[in-house]
Amino acid sequence: FSQIINNYLDGTRGAAHRATPSGMHFRDSKRKVDYVLAYHYRKCVSQHQPVSGLLEPLHGLASSAIVSNGETGKSCLEQQQQQSSERHKPPEQPGLSPLDALEEEKQVQRKEYEQNLVEAGLEIEKDLENKSQGLSFVRIHAPWHVLSREAELLKIKMPTKKMYEIKEGGGILKKLNEIWCRLTQPLQPQVPQDNTKMKSLSYPFSREKMYLYNIKDKDTFFDNATRSRIVREILKRTPTKSRNSMGISTLIANNVYDAAYPLHDGEYEDHNGEMNERKLLYQEWARYGVFFKFQPIDLIRKYFGEKIGLYFAWLGLYTEFLIPSSVVGVIVFFYGCITIESDIPSKEMCDQHNAFTMCPLCDKFCDYWNLSSACATARASHLFDNPATVFFSIFMALWATTFLEQWKRLQMRLSYFWDLTGLEEEEEHPRPEYETKLLQKKLKTKNTTKNANESEISVFVSCAFLQDEKEKLTWRDRMPGYLANFSLILFMIMLTFSAVFGVMVYRITTAAALSFSTNETTRSNVRVTVTATAVIINLVVILILDEIYGAVAKWLTEIEVPKTEKTFEERLILKAFLLKFVNSYAPIFYVAFFKGRFVGRPGHYLYVFDGYRMEEARGCLMELCIQLSIIMLGKQLIQNNLFEIGIPKLKKLFRKLKDERTEPKEINTDQLKDPQQWDLDYSLEPFTGLTPEYMEMIIQFGFVTLFVASFPLAPLFALLNNIIEVRLDAKKFVTELRRPDTVRAKDIGIWYNILSGIGKLSVIINAFVISVTSDFIPRLMYQYAYSQDGTMHGFINHTLSYFNVSHLKAGTQPENSPFAQDVLFCRFKDYRDPPWSQNPYEFSKQYWAVLSARLAFVILFQNLVMFLSVLVDWMIPDIPKDISEQIKKEKSVLVEFFLKEERKKLKLIESFITRDKHRPQSGTKGQRIRAASFCQFSQSQKGSLASFSSQHTEV
């Protein structure tokens, strides 16, 4: 490699071109830096001689970089071939420590890899390794012939010369759209807008059809995102033979390189420099001061790629849809506030004249109590437990369906304008871990074959088996990973249930302990204290287990050894979502459906431990609301915001301290210069994917839809969070993360299926919340089946059963009760026969009637909402009508444009042929051959043109 790299700067020009102002080009200020590789190097004593021998001729020059210009001579290549045998193994030198040998091996792999990049057509520029150890960068530039070649291989759609008009809808919709655009004009970001009435016709790039494209400048025809994408594809497929590894991902995994990333478009806060896309995104999108503005989705897509553009488009649509649901939720909440004074059951509970003496809440230390003491709880429960919540549950189920349908329409619209229609999935390269596992399998099978019987039959069988199995990992190879996944996921789910059970035990024991207190205030506030502290403990446990489950899900996916990054991402998403779903919602499921269901009755309570009764449910829906609100708000505030802001800053600080500690304190002129863009970007946090961003929004979507019957204000809090979340994510992508590789994607992938599943599950859960957790069905049954006058008067008395206090077990009666002698019967909430009936304390007829009504409501509610959801799905087409027509028009325009350009080309060829025919016949032999070849080419062009025309006549 030392023979093909040379210093292109001479001593007289070195000072003038030491660095470009923007740091976006090579040191000649002409060639653009399309990609950067970063690595740490360390020189040992035995290494100094060969390295200094390589760099010694350059030390006298003013430049501090070495560059390959792609113009090597034959002698250089011959010398490189002579060294190829030495490149595949680390140089063996006496006295090398294992650490030095490893560093030598990395250096060999870097040299070979960079040589292969140069042979692939890329041009590279390197910093001199003039310190004993430090950080070095390899800057990569893709010339035009490489860009055009790779763009053709990747079938990248590029704009052609042809522009066509986009047909707009007419009538009232057009008028409404114009009015909406006029009203929202102040909310639009001040970014360059494409012509919305005209669209450039795009066609997959082809070097044979260069005349189709409007190529004014080859340096700017491919934008920065496309250039970096092309270079990344070359980096991914370029091999190294030192370890039979494929691509940059394997080299980073083996610590040969530290990082590989494209550059940002300059600084985002440089007020003196020229405007760039990064600065524009920061000013109009990534600041909290512009939270009221729409997102510049097209600019986001242009800068970060389609995959990230789709995420922010989805997040924006989801946030917009939260506005109407928030308004309806607030209306439902205010309806509860307005009707609280007219709620008859609440009045009956708060009426001091209704002396409902309730049974003790615990053994021995709890006294009889009056139901009117729970007046505040009853009034607060009505805010969320009223008939309007049923309507709101149906509304939110239809809202989720409408949101998903609208997203499909927006996704299709973006696919059309972003030229993603007909996008084929690109063949992905295997992951480094998969290649390593496959290599280990090959070596193991090879050793097994050598040690096997040498008979011809066994060798034939082994070779046949190897031919089928050696190129891939089978289910047998992955079986240990599958077993580990199943067992650990099951263990983690049981761990979550154990945490919920532990909090339940904490509530029971703490309530019992506080009931023993001699302080009257403590005893009176037992329920509030226990509920508040238990919810906080639940929140802390959820936050801790969330971080653990994220790491566990990643590890479990890694031991499965998926072949491609897409498969890896999908499996990781499913595991992480399953674990975090169970972790986030298990405490809420317990409060909604299990708490207070297995208490027993007075005289026959269920005990967890000796002397500790199961906790009773008092105002279940209210407690569910408290649980849901605190967990939801806590996760959004702590996990989604503080963690997102604090953890990246801590990681950046830690990496900076690590680099300062590892780099020697040597005087270097480079330190005196302003840092270049590659230095600034290296200090940023690497981009690790969109999974965390989607995950927190999907969990929030679950909070908004799954238990919305108990907390109508959930959409409002989600909206307030997302207004901040959009700008927080924007600022993170623009200012705190390295520029991600642009990835083309036509949809949001598996996340849509998860959203759809949550939407369907929310219908069932809300049906059970309304029928089982709330008092909606018992109230309905009482009013229309048991009430004497068709009103709710007497409802409280109807829901309370009698218990003879003399039937209490010995040792469980209240001690030191001031009015125990006056109490003959106490009341408890249940539908049971009174003690004077033939079957005392058995479930009454009312219990079975209410249970039947609950189950009937679940079936009716579920089928009604599902029917309405299907109806909404059917009424809203997935593809907007105007987009469907434009796609058809685009195909027709493409055929017409292609035929027109081909005819122009054919006429030009025929004019050359005609001109050659009119020349004297005494032309040279070469001229006659050229004329014949023109004729033959013209005939072939006519044939291909006729074939193309006939194939596309029906478009």
Side-chain angles (χ1 to χ4, degrees), residues 440-450 465-466:
Q440 292 174 356
K441 177 185 176 181
K442 292 179 181 179
L443 295 176
K444 182 179 179 180
T445 310
K446 184 178 180 181
N447 295 333
T448 305
T449 306
K450 287 183 178 180
F465 176 79
L466 279 174

Side-chain angles (χ1 to χ4, degrees), residues 465-476:
F465 176 79
L466 279 174
Q467 188 69 20
D468 295 334
E469 302 292 333
K470 69 179 182 179
E471 297 302 330
K472 64 179 182 180
L473 297 179
T474 63
W475 65 270
R476 293 185 181 87

Side-chain angles (χ1 to χ4, degrees), residues 14 82 216 331 354 358 363 369 460 733:
Q82 294 175 2
K216 297 179 180 179
I331 293 174
N354 293 330
M358 306 300 293
D363 295 341
W369 57 285
F460 176 80
F733 273 84

